Amino acid sequence: MPVDLCFILGGSKRREVAALKTCLKKFPGVPIWISGPELTEDCLQVCEEEGVNPELLRIDYRAVDTLSNFTTMAPEMYKGGFKKVAIITSRYHMKRARTIASIIMPEFKVRYVPIAIMYKADSEKENLVKVWRDQIRSYLWVYFRYDVTKSLLEWYHKDRVDMVTDKIERFSHYGNRAHVANADD
């Protein structure tokens, strides 16, 4: 199943590193986009150890939740000409990720292949209320092209928003792959 891009959904250190290793094993030489904001030095170290060409790696810190992983990156996938994307996240997180992807990705004519990795919380099932909530938010985003809950989420996830600034400062040596959008984007 050839893909044009590996899209790793961030959110925890262990999940990102496991997803990255899966991507490197299954899709060598394919561009890798990681949507954070939990990206750690460990993930960058894996890239360096595996000899990942830095030009193939893009790190994006704009997302504060699963919906914004897709709404910030899907338009750029379309602009970049990516037709088929491997979405890599934990089995626990995959139901919500697939629900959102099934609504957002077709808007940008991008097909996806879900790749669920084994991860610590996989014995648990994700709360269906989160899945339904994000499904509704996704449809609202498609209709308005804006996350109508954005202000509330930025207040609720203030720690994640604050983390973005810290990550950019710490990973600035990684150049333009550490992309952060303005609040207007």
Side-chain angles (χ1 to χ4, degrees):
M1 91 183 105
V3 298
D4 304 319
L5 174 71
C6 287
F7 182 46
I8 297 173
L9 302 182
S12 80
K13 174 181 174 176
R14 288 180 56 196
R15 181 169 79 197
E16 289 169 10
V17 170
L20 180 61
K21 288 180 178 180
T22 298
C23 176
L24 293 171
K25 182 178 178 184
K26 288 189 176 222
F27 306 106
V30 172
I32 302 166
W33 288 8
I34 305 172
S35 181
E38 279 295 314
L39 184 75
T40 64
E41 290 90 344
D42 293 349
C43 215
L44 296 175
Q45 184 178 346
V46 168
C47 289
E48 290 171 7
E49 288 171 1
E50 295 296 323
V52 173
N53 178 350
E55 296 303 315
L56 294 178
L57 181 63
R58 176 173 179 165
I59 303 163
D60 192 284
Y61 296 101
R62 293 175 290 173
V64 294
D65 63 2
T66 308
L67 177 61
S68 58
N69 284 138
F70 288 97
T71 60
T72 58
M73 300 304 283
E76 295 183 30
M77 291 174 192
Y78 175 75
K79 288 177 193 169
F82 296 106
K83 304 276 187 226
K84 190 172 184 183
V85 174
I87 297 172
I88 306 174
T89 191
S90 66
R91 195 175 79 193
Y92 169 84
H93 189 229
M94 186 54 78
K95 183 171 186 66
R96 188 157 42 118
R98 285 181 75 169
T99 298
I100 294 168
S102 70
I103 298 165
I104 302 296
M105 299 295 267
E107 290 293 308
F108 297 96
K109 299 174 179 52
V110 177
R111 292 179 297 136
Y112 65 93
V113 176
I115 308 232
I117 55 170
M118 296 305 287
Y119 175 65
K120 67 171 171 102
D122 282 345
S123 60
E124 303 171 21
K125 293 200 179 205
E126 188 162 42
N127 183 337
L128 283 178
V129 172
K130 284 183 171 181
V131 176
W132 298 331
R133 175 202 66 196
D134 283 356
Q135 182 178 34
I136 292 167
R137 289 177 60 218
S138 297
Y139 282 120
L140 288 170
W141 188 91
V142 166
Y143 184 76
F144 293 108
R145 283 296 194 261
Y146 178 77
D147 183 1
V148 296
T149 62
K150 183 177 179 180
S151 296
L152 177 62
L153 283 168
E154 286 176 349
W155 171 78
Y156 181 74
H157 291 302
K158 183 164 180 9
D159 59 325
R160 293 183 188 180
V161 174
D162 291 344
M163 189 186 315
V164 169
T165 304
D166 177 58
K167 294 287 183 183
I168 292 307
E169 290 172 7
R170 288 177 45 220
F171 296 118
S172 61
H173 68 278
Y174 228 71
N176 64 1
R177 286 168 300 288
H179 175 76
V180 174
N182 294 326
D184 299 331
D185 286 354

